[in-house]
Amino acid sequence: MHPDDRKVLVLDSGVTWESLTATRSGKTDFMFVRYDVGGSSTLEGRLIRHVGTEYGFVLSGTLEITLGFETYRLTSGDSISFDSSRPHRLANAGDVPVEAIWVNLELLDHE
């Protein structure tokens, strides 16, 4: 998919999602994500959870991921996967934007 043809969502929280596929494949989102300096998936001190599994690969910057009581700092070349039902928060922990490739995979019980 050509970058000019991507669907883009810009969130108030300083996060941008760009779809890397022309159409959503079932319950899977394949995205290029950008966390501006100070950007985060939720307000500080707040965690979210939802159905599925997340897979991420950091291209640049420092992404802080809180999973329950644990916190991880990922930098260029680092990857992670986790069950999205675990309370989590993603935030830019550096002074440059974070760029990453992200997959959200939601499997139904019968799959």
Side-chain angles (χ1 to χ4, degrees):
M1 168 170 259
H2 192 274
D4 292 339
D5 297 330
R6 293 180 190 155
K7 293 179 184 174
V8 178
L9 290 175
V10 179
L11 308 178
D12 285 342
S13 61
V15 180
T16 302
W17 297 341
E18 294 184 26
S19 179
L20 295 176
T21 57
T23 58
R24 189 171 190 218
S25 175
K27 299 265 184 177
T28 303
D29 290 313
F30 177 45
M31 301 176 291
F32 171 78
V33 298
R34 179 183 172 101
Y35 286 77
D36 292 333
V37 174
S40 64
S41 60
T42 62
L43 296 173
E44 190 166 345
R46 300 285 182 123
L47 305 177
I48 59 169
R49 58 188 210 164
H50 51 88
V51 175
T53 304
E54 297 191 31
Y55 302 88
F57 179 80
V58 176
L59 300 168
S60 62
T62 302
L63 184 64
E64 183 175 270
I65 301 176
T66 301
L67 293 172
F69 296 106
E70 301 171 3
T71 300
Y72 304 91
R73 283 190 174 226
L74 280 63
T75 59
S76 179
D78 289 339
S79 59
I80 192 168
S81 67
F82 59 91
D83 184 329
S84 303
S85 68
R86 289 181 66 188
H88 58 280
R89 178 178 190 266
L90 287 70
N92 184 331
D95 57 1
V96 298
V98 171
E99 294 185 340
I101 302 297
W102 217 260
V103 175
N104 288 322
L105 177 62
E106 180 183 333
L107 292 177
L108 301 177
D109 290 338
H110 65 276
E111 292 182 318

